[in-house]
């Protein structure tokens, strides 16, 4: 099958057509790439990029390790000494996976806008609807999980991504680079910008770039981690924490993307991809499991950090199994289907295998 990745330095939006607009709104049409070659697996012609699904599944586990102690109010110190598990999470998980999650959400919004432009004359209206759904969903989720991100993504999407959709793609990249000190907003916009440059959609053809990103970010992560280790205990948004988080997020993401290309990565992909295909459903259902089963086993306000780790592994294992079983019969997860229906404002079919869903 012929590789459809753009030639290095080529602008994938240079050969475009413009969709007709029925009214006065959406006055700046979205540029839609005209396919010039048979698309490769995971390319930008509408197929799912399975590596992104696996990364979403991976991010869900890291987010869970952060959210369980937060939601259940687990103190970080035992007898005045910080728990070793908590210290390890601070160094290797906290402010790492929320960056990955935000990056993937931004990528998802960027890919959605491109694909919507191929099917609808007013793609920004669809993006606005998609973002609007996150307001009530995130608001309800806040009741169980104060400080959760869905509502935040919706607000940032309306405030940043919709305006940037009228600007050239380099503007989104510039905005992302100007706000790196706030890792989640910066990651969201960066993901959107990368999608505009069709980088995530062509990961299958970017092995060398992934190797460079992994090598550089892993090398930078070492001094960043050492600085954080010997820095102030209060994480907050200290610069040392942000730098270490960005380096590790890049190393984790590029490292996993490279691993998935190997034989050893196949069983990992088989576990992570179904999780990622149902990322929204699994993210919300994990909170329901935290506040019910987590309290039932006595994790609330406890210092049982090893039990917390076991609980998180059990939750992600259950979700991996049920995601795979669900997607064997349905095209989308329950919340993904509802989100899609409210976005397109019509009855989307849910029956059918996951392989048939774009």
């Amino acid at each position: 099958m012929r590789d459809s990745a753009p030639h290095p330095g080529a602008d994938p939006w240079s050969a475009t057509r413009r969709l007709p607009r029925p009214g006065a709104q959406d006055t700046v049409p979205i540029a839609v790439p005209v396919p010039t070659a048979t698309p490769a697996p995971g390319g930008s012609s509408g197929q799912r990029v399975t590596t992104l699904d696996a990364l979403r599944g991976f991010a869900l586990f890291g987010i869970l390790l952060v959210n369980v102690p937060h939601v259940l109010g687990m103190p970080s110190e035992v007898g005045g000494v910080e728990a070793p598990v908590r210290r390890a999470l601070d160094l290797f998980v906290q402010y790492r996976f929320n960056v990955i999650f935000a990056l993937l959400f931004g990528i998802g919004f960027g890919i959605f806008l491109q694909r919507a432009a191929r099917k609808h004359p007013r793609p920004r209206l669809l993006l606005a609807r998609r973002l609007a759904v996150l307001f009530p969903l995130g608001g309800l989720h806040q009741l169980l999980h104060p400080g959760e991100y869905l509502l935040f993504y919706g607000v940032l999407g309306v405030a940043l991504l919709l305006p940037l959709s009228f600007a050239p793609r380099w503007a989104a990249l510039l905005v992302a680079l100007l706000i790196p000190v706030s890792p989640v907003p910066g990651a969201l916009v960066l993901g959107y910008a990368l999608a505009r440059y069709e980088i995530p959609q062509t990961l299958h053809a970017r092995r060398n770039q992934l190797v460079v990103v992994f090598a550089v970010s892993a090398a930078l992560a070492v001094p960043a981690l050492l600085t954080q280790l010997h820095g102030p205990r209060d994480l907050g948004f200290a610069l040392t924490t942000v730098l270490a988080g960005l380096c590790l997020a890049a190393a984790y993401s590029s490292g996993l993307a490279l691993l998935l290309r190997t034989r050893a990565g196949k069983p990992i992909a088989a576990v992570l991809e179904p999780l990622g295909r149902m990322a929204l459903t699994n993210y919300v259902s994990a909170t329901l499991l935290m506040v019910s089963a987590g309290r039932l086993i006595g994790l609330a306000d406890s210092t049982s950090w090893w039990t917390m780790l076991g609980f998180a592994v059990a939750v992600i294992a259950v979700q991996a199994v049920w995601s795979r079983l669900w997607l064997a019969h349905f095209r989308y997860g329950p919340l993904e289907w509802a989100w899609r229906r409210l976005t397109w404002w019509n009855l989307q079919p849910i029956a059918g295998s996951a392989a048939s869903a774009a």
Side-chain angles (χ1 to χ4, degrees):
M1 184 173 288
R2 186 177 174 185
D3 190 353
S4 64
H7 186 276
D11 184 350
W13 289 51
S14 59
T16 62
R17 60 183 174 85
R18 292 185 179 271
L19 290 173
R21 54 184 176 87
Q25 298 182 5
D26 251 345
T27 56
V28 180
I30 296 291
V32 184
V34 176
T36 58
T38 303
S44 58
S45 65
Q47 297 103 324
R48 294 194 68 92
V49 184
T50 55
T51 299
L52 297 181
D53 287 328
L55 284 169
R56 289 187 186 97
F58 177 60
L60 282 172
F61 182 52
I63 291 288
L64 185 62
L65 291 173
V66 174
N67 287 349
V68 172
H70 172 72
V71 171
L72 296 180
M74 298 179 64
S76 59
E77 294 186 352
V78 179
V81 179
E82 189 172 28
V85 172
R86 176 53 190 259
R87 188 56 176 157
L89 292 177
D90 286 347
L91 289 172
F92 299 105
V93 179
Q94 188 85 289
Y95 297 117
R96 280 61 168 155
F97 286 89
N98 59 347
V99 172
I100 299 174
F101 211 47
L103 181 78
L104 292 167
F105 257 87
I107 289 171
F109 289 136
I111 292 176
F112 171 83
L113 191 60
Q114 288 183 340
R115 293 178 178 175
R118 300 186 180 105
K119 304 175 183 178
H120 197 276
R122 298 168 67 187
R124 293 185 185 88
L125 174 63
L126 297 180
L127 179 60
R129 285 181 190 164
R130 191 165 182 81
L131 292 168
V133 173
L134 295 180
F135 283 81
L137 179 59
L140 290 173
H141 196 215
Q142 287 270 352
L143 299 177
L144 297 176
H145 183 182
E148 66 87 49
Y149 285 102
L150 295 180
L151 181 59
F152 192 41
Y153 293 157
V155 171
L156 287 175
V158 171
L160 294 175
L161 301 189
L162 274 176
L164 285 171
S165 71
F166 291 91
R169 61 186 185 179
W170 59 262
L173 187 59
L174 179 62
V175 170
L177 295 176
L178 289 176
I179 53 175
V181 73
S182 301
V184 172
L188 187 76
V189 178
L190 178 60
Y192 174 79
L194 293 177
R196 287 285 302 271
Y197 279 93
E198 299 206 351
I199 292 175
Q201 300 94 310
T202 55
L203 280 178
H204 61 281
R206 297 183 180 274
R207 181 183 178 278
N208 292 339
Q209 291 96 322
L210 287 172
V211 170
V212 171
V213 171
F214 176 73
V216 172
S217 58
L220 292 176
V222 174
L225 278 174
L226 290 175
T227 303
Q228 181 182 331
L229 179 63
H230 299 290
R233 294 295 190 186
D234 185 17
L235 284 177
F237 279 100
L239 182 59
T240 54
T241 301
V242 171
L243 292 176
L246 293 175
C247 291
L248 278 180
Y252 289 163
S253 301
S254 55
L256 179 60
L258 289 169
L259 178 61
L260 294 174
R261 303 167 72 99
T262 68
R263 182 178 300 178
K266 291 183 179 180
I268 297 174
V271 173
L272 294 180
E273 285 176 16
L275 277 168
R277 287 188 64 86
M278 293 173 51
L280 183 62
T281 296
N282 286 325
Y283 177 67
V284 173
S285 64
T287 299
L288 299 177
L289 290 172
M290 285 181 232
V291 299
S292 56
R295 294 183 181 277
L296 187 63
I297 65 175
L299 279 179
D301 302 316
S302 80
T303 56
S304 303
W305 286 92
W306 289 105
T307 303
M308 186 280 296
L309 287 180
F311 174 72
V313 170
V315 168
I316 212 71
V318 168
Q319 289 186 328
V321 171
W322 98 277
S323 296
R324 192 169 187 86
L325 293 175
W326 178 277
L327 292 173
H329 301 284
F330 301 101
R331 302 176 69 192
Y332 312 103
L335 287 183
E336 286 75 13
W337 173 77
W339 198 12
R340 191 177 181 91
R341 180 177 181 182
L342 292 171
T343 296
W344 291 91
W345 212 247
N346 59 20
L347 185 60
Q348 296 286 324
I350 191 173
S353 66
S356 64

